[in-house]
Amino acid sequence: MNIGVDIGGTNIRAGIESGGSITRQNRTLLSNKHSLSDTLGQLMDVIRPLTAYPVKGIGIGVPSVVDVNKGIVYNVMNIPSWEEVALRDIVEKEFNLPVSVNNDVNCFVLGEHRFGLARKFSSVIGMAIGTGLGSGIIIDNHLYAGRNCGAGEIGMLPYKDSVLENYVCSRFFEDSLGIDAFAAHEAALKGSAKAIEVWEEFGVHLGAVIKAIMYTYDPEAIVLGGSIAKANQFFEESMLASIQDFAFPESLKRLILLNSQNENIALLGAAALLDA
């Protein structure tokens, strides 16, 4: 058994992976994010009770660029005190267990590949859509992070007057409707014609991301995750329509599009880092 940890900009979750499921899960709401010592203390408090069980190691997913070899995280999203943190060494020293650190979306796709919807595919892209847009890559059954853990940042590709991410994340709804994606989803569920129209436009932009992924990686499957993916009923039709002009129709026919179902999949992927 390994401990999996998912560090977000709002909270920290940790649990033990056992038999492909997460057990004994702990979580805490991050507070005083401008203090490195306070936030690290919260991280240790979430992990510590789990080390009482016979675990082999600790895997940690972080929303940032990661020096995977050294376990150093840089400029962690929404935690301003984490500009450069030797996270692996700090956690290993605290618990005397092997630790592996990687980007959170890499953990998401690894979780889907090892334990989730993508188990039968050797090449898959996992895409997390929420506050931002991130992608994780599995090629020939191996996690591929690139030299600087920056592979898969499709959202940074130029698009219209900006980059793809600005059209495929919560910011798009804030710019279009003046509300975040969660509120936009609620409005669409209540029948707001304007909200539904914006979700349909969102689907067109998401289709552009999928085509970029196809041209770049040509995977067997793409798994959509993150909070925004839960609103797929409002963007799926326009998304599928927008990818029909993909240059290689046979490749498009073979592509499998999946919607993540397991809320603990990133924890499972983090736990699997020790064996990746």
Side-chain angles (χ1 to χ4, degrees), residues 6-173:
D6 183 30
I7 299 176
T10 304
N11 58 54
I12 302 172
R13 296 190 302 148
I16 295 174
E17 183 277 314
S18 178
S21 297
I22 292 294
T23 63
R24 300 181 176 88
Q25 184 175 158
N26 297 325
R27 71 168 64 209
T28 188
L29 187 68
L30 272 170
S31 60
N32 197 15
K33 293 189 283 186
H34 289 276
S35 169
L36 177 60
S37 60
D38 284 1
T39 49
L40 285 174
Q42 286 191 281
L43 173 64
M44 303 309 175
D45 288 345
V46 169
I47 296 173
R48 187 169 291 106
L50 303 178
T51 61
Y53 299 93
V55 295
K56 296 184 298 180
I58 303 168
I60 306 175
V62 187
S64 71
V65 171
V66 180
D67 184 327
V68 175
N69 293 325
K70 296 180 179 179
I72 300 173
V73 301
Y74 298 94
N75 303 308
V76 176
M77 187 180 299
N78 295 319
I79 309 180
S81 58
W82 288 35
E83 293 182 355
E84 181 177 337
V85 182
L87 191 60
R88 185 189 66 192
D89 289 351
I90 292 169
V91 178
E92 283 187 346
K93 182 178 180 181
E94 180 74 16
F95 298 113
N96 195 31
L97 286 168
V99 173
S100 183
V101 184
N102 212 308
N103 174 267
D104 58 342
V105 187
N106 288 345
C107 292
F108 164 69
V109 74
L110 185 61
E112 289 289 4
H113 183 251
R114 293 288 180 86
F115 305 105
L117 300 176
R119 278 176 289 185
K120 64 181 180 180
F121 303 113
S122 62
S123 63
V124 59
I125 304 296
M127 190 156 47
I129 315 167
T131 305
L133 172 66
S135 300
I137 305 160
I138 299 286
I139 297 175
D140 293 335
N141 295 310
H142 295 287
L143 181 65
Y144 178 73
R147 182 174 182 181
N148 302 296
C149 202
E153 293 296 339
I154 299 294
M156 293 297 103
L157 291 176
Y159 182 67
K160 295 186 178 293
D161 60 343
S162 183
V163 294
L164 279 166
E165 181 176 75
N166 289 336
Y167 288 86
V168 188
C169 70
S170 187
R171 190 179 306 114
F172 172 72
F173 299 93

Side-chain angles (χ1 to χ4, degrees), residues 221-254:
I222 297 174
V223 185
L224 303 182
S227 57
I228 290 180
K230 297 175 182 177
N232 67 302
Q233 71 188 93
F234 295 109
F235 65 74
E236 187 173 53
E237 185 175 348
S238 59
M239 176 191 73
L240 293 174
S242 73
I243 65 176
Q244 295 309 308
D245 63 352
F246 186 72
F248 310 118
E250 289 303 314
S251 299
L252 193 60
K253 288 179 185 177
R254 297 188 184 101

